[in-house]
Amino acid sequence: MRNRWHALIAAALCIGGLPQTAGAQAPETHSAQTTAFDRRAGELVDLFNGKIAFADYFAPSFQQAIPEAQFKAMTAGLIAQYGRAIAIEQVISKDGRSGTLQLRFEKGTGSVILDVGADADERVIGLRLTGFQMANDSYDSVAAELAALPGATGFLVAELDGASIRPLAAANTDKQFAVGSTFKLYVLDELAAQIAAGERQWSDVAPLSHPSFSSAGTANWPRNTPVTLQTLANWMISVSDNGATDTLIHLLGRERIEARMRAAGHSDPSRNTPFLTTVEAFALKGNNFADIRPAFIAGDDKAQRKLIEANRGRLVLANVDGVSFIEGPRFIDSLEWFANPNDIARAFIALRARRSTTLMSVLAINNGVGPAASEPWRYLGYKGGSENGVLSMSLLGERKADGKWFVVTTSWNDPKANLDADKMVGLVTRLLALAAK
C-alpha cells in the first residue's frame, strides 16, 4: 500500500535504477585540470573495495544520513552479487563538483551520481547509485532469480500493439497477486473517464476530504483543504498518497471504479469488490477490527459491501491502529487489492487508449527507476505498490529507438516475511533494460 518509489536525497545511496551503457575508458570532465570531482570519482573503486576509510571519504552530513554500517552492508551486498569494483568510466562533470560516472564491477556496471562538498577537505556529500546493468544479462537469468525468491512471484515483459499484448518474457501471468498501491491505476482510469465524458475537469477544485494513513504528500494537511483533481491525481500516482486516493474514491464513486476495473479487463474483479479505500483496508487488517474481519474475509461481494456500509462510522482513520506497519505481513491473501501481470498490462492499455496528455503526464512524474533507467525511453510511466510481504512495480514505456510501446510489470508476495525492495528494483530495472534493446 505504501509506494517505495526510491526518491533520491542529496546524501543517500539508493540501489535500483539502470545505468547507461558503459563506453569510453577516458574520463570526460569540464577542464583538463584535476577537480574535486575527478579526485573523488577516482577513489570510488578503492572505496567500494574497502581501501578508503568511510569517514575520510564522506562529509558529516552524509555520515548522518547513511551510517557506516549501513553503507558497508550495501556495498557488501553489491560485491556479493556483482563482484569487486574494478574501474570507473564515462566520468562527466560540468562544474568540478557534481556529475555522473559509470562504476564497473566484475559482473556488471553501475550508474553513479556524485556530489562533492565545498569545504576545504572536499568530502562527498552525495553518492547515488541509481542503477545497475548485469553483464551478459538475459530474460532467462532474471526469471530464474525471480523464481528463486521466497514466496511467489510473477512478471510480464510485453510489447503493446494497440489492445494486443505480445509477451517477450513472462511467468505466472494468470496468478492473482496482492499489488498494493498499483490498484490506483483503476482510480486514475475512472477519473480520466469522467473527465472525458465532460462530468469533471482536471482543474476542478475539491476538498481533501478523506485523510489516510501513510500519506506522503498530504500528511497533517487540514481536512477539506481545496485542491484540484489533477493535484489529487499527481499525489496519488507519484508519491502514492493515500489521502488523495481515498478522496478520489469517495468523489468518483466506489461502484463506478469497480465498473471501470471490469471494463479494463480485470480477470477476477470480485477480488477487488467492494473496492476498498486505503483506510478501510488498513482498518480491517488491524486488531481493532478483529470482530468483523473473519466475516468480511468469508463473505461474498454482496455481504462484504453490506458489512462495509454497516460499519462506515467505525472504518475511519482514527480507528486505524497501524499494526500492519510494525509487524510482518497481515492478511495479504485476503485483505488487499489484487491483479495478475496480464491485468496490469490491460490497465495500462486502457489508460493509454484515452489519449490524454494530462493522464500520461501524471504517470510519468515518478518513473520509479530514475533518469539513467529512463534514458532509452521516449516515455516512461510508473506505478508501484508495497506493504509488508507485498511488492509490485509496473512500467509503461515508449522505446526511443522505434516508438514501440512496452509494459514491464513484476509482483512479489510472501505472507510469511517482509521483502527486499532493493532486490526487486534491481530485477525490474534489468527487465526494463532488456526491453529497451
Side-chain angles (χ1 to χ4, degrees):
M1 296 174 193
R2 296 164 293 172
N3 179 29
R4 297 185 57 178
W5 57 289
H6 296 267
L8 303 179
I9 59 176
L13 181 149
C14 177
I15 299 169
L18 174 73
Q20 299 175 9
T21 303
Q25 298 286 328
E28 300 176 56
T29 57
H30 75 297
S31 74
Q33 294 181 331
T34 299
T35 66
F37 179 85
D38 295 333
R39 183 165 64 86
R40 290 304 186 184
E43 294 172 339
L44 271 177
V45 170
D46 284 343
L47 175 73
F48 273 74
N49 291 334
K51 296 180 180 180
I52 294 179
F54 179 81
D56 291 341
Y57 190 83
F58 292 110
S61 60
F62 187 100
Q63 296 180 45
Q64 184 175 6
I66 305 292
E68 183 175 7
Q70 183 179 349
F71 180 80
K72 286 186 174 180
M74 291 175 178
T75 55
L78 279 173
I79 291 170
Q81 186 169 4
Y82 302 108
R84 294 176 61 80
I86 57 176
I88 60 168
E89 303 169 342
Q90 291 189 342
V91 182
I92 302 172
S93 175
K94 294 182 178 180
D95 60 6
R97 290 284 176 185
S98 299
T100 63
L101 59 97
Q102 301 291 308
L103 180 60
R104 185 154 53 89
F105 292 75
E106 292 172 319
K107 295 184 287 186
T109 304
S111 182
V112 178
I113 301 173
L114 187 69
D115 298 299
V116 181
D119 292 345
D121 57 11
E122 296 181 332
R123 283 185 285 178
V124 168
I125 59 174
L127 172 63
R128 303 171 238 182
L129 183 54
T130 60
F132 224 92
Q133 182 171 319
M134 290 284 289
N136 303 314
D137 208 3
S138 69
Y139 286 125
D140 287 344
S141 295
V142 180
E145 291 182 43
L146 280 166
L149 294 174
T153 61
F155 80 97
L156 172 66
V157 179
E159 180 185 344
L160 302 181
D161 184 5
S164 298
I165 301 171
R166 299 177 177 174
L168 302 178
N172 295 325
T173 55
D174 293 326
K175 177 178 173 59
Q176 292 289 318
F177 291 92
V179 295
S181 288
T182 305
F183 83 90
K184 295 169 186 177
L185 293 175
Y186 295 113
V187 182
L188 179 63
D189 193 18
E190 176 56 24
L191 173 59
Q194 293 188 18
I195 289 170
E199 299 177 51
R200 306 183 190 278
Q201 298 181 28
W202 291 105
S203 58
D204 286 351
V205 174
L208 185 65
S209 57
H210 287 78
S212 183
F213 193 67
S214 187
S215 292
T218 62
N220 302 317
W221 279 48
R223 183 185 288 271
N224 294 326
T225 295
V227 292
T228 69
L229 299 188
Q230 185 172 348
T231 300
L232 291 172
N234 288 347
W235 279 333
M236 176 179 70
I237 299 299
S238 67
V239 294
S240 215
D241 187 274
N242 291 321
T245 302
D246 284 4
T247 294
L248 283 172
I249 292 174
H250 284 278
L251 181 68
L252 302 174
R254 190 197 309 269
E255 290 81 4
R256 293 189 66 173
I257 297 170
E258 292 165 358
R260 185 62 49 194
M261 174 182 60
R262 292 191 295 271
H266 195 291
S267 59
D268 191 1
S270 179
R271 296 296 301 272
N272 299 326
T273 304
F275 201 90
L276 296 176
T277 66
T278 65
V279 162
E280 289 165 350
F282 294 144
L284 286 168
K285 285 175 178 285
N287 292 336
N288 290 342
F289 289 86
D291 57 331
I292 65 173
R293 183 170 53 240
F296 182 87
I297 291 174
D300 59 16
D301 296 352
K302 184 177 180 180
Q304 288 180 338
R305 196 183 301 278
K306 184 176 180 180
L307 188 150
I308 290 292
E309 290 301 315
N311 288 274
R312 184 186 302 176
R314 288 183 63 199
L315 292 166
V316 295
L317 181 59
N319 291 330
V320 175
D321 61 19
V323 68
S324 62
F325 290 98
I326 60 175
E327 297 182 355
R330 299 274 296 187
F331 307 102
I332 68 169
D333 294 329
S334 52
L335 276 171
E336 248 286 346
W337 301 274
F338 298 91
N340 65 37
N342 281 324
D343 293 333
I344 295 172
R346 286 189 285 266
F348 275 134
I349 288 171
L351 289 165
R352 189 165 73 93
R354 298 206 172 279
R355 301 184 182 276
S356 167
T357 301
T358 302
L359 181 156
M360 297 297 279
S361 70
V362 169
L363 285 169
I365 293 172
N366 162 31
N367 67 31
V369 291
S374 62
E375 195 280 331
W377 300 91
R378 183 176 295 126
Y379 173 86
L380 199 62
Y382 169 76
K383 189 70 196 84
S386 68
E387 182 189 346
N388 293 336
V390 174
L391 284 173
S392 173
M393 293 182 68
S394 300
L395 298 108
L396 172 69
E398 181 187 14
R399 196 163 60 186
K400 281 183 182 178
D402 53 16
K404 293 182 178 180
W405 286 83
F406 295 83
V407 63
V408 175
T409 179
T410 303
S411 291
W412 179 13
N413 291 175
D414 188 346
K416 298 180 180 179
N418 295 331
L419 307 178
D420 185 344
D422 290 333
K423 182 178 289 292
M424 174 77 153
V425 173
L427 292 168
V428 169
T429 50
R430 286 167 60 192
L431 290 174
L432 188 67
L434 289 165
K437 294 180 179 179

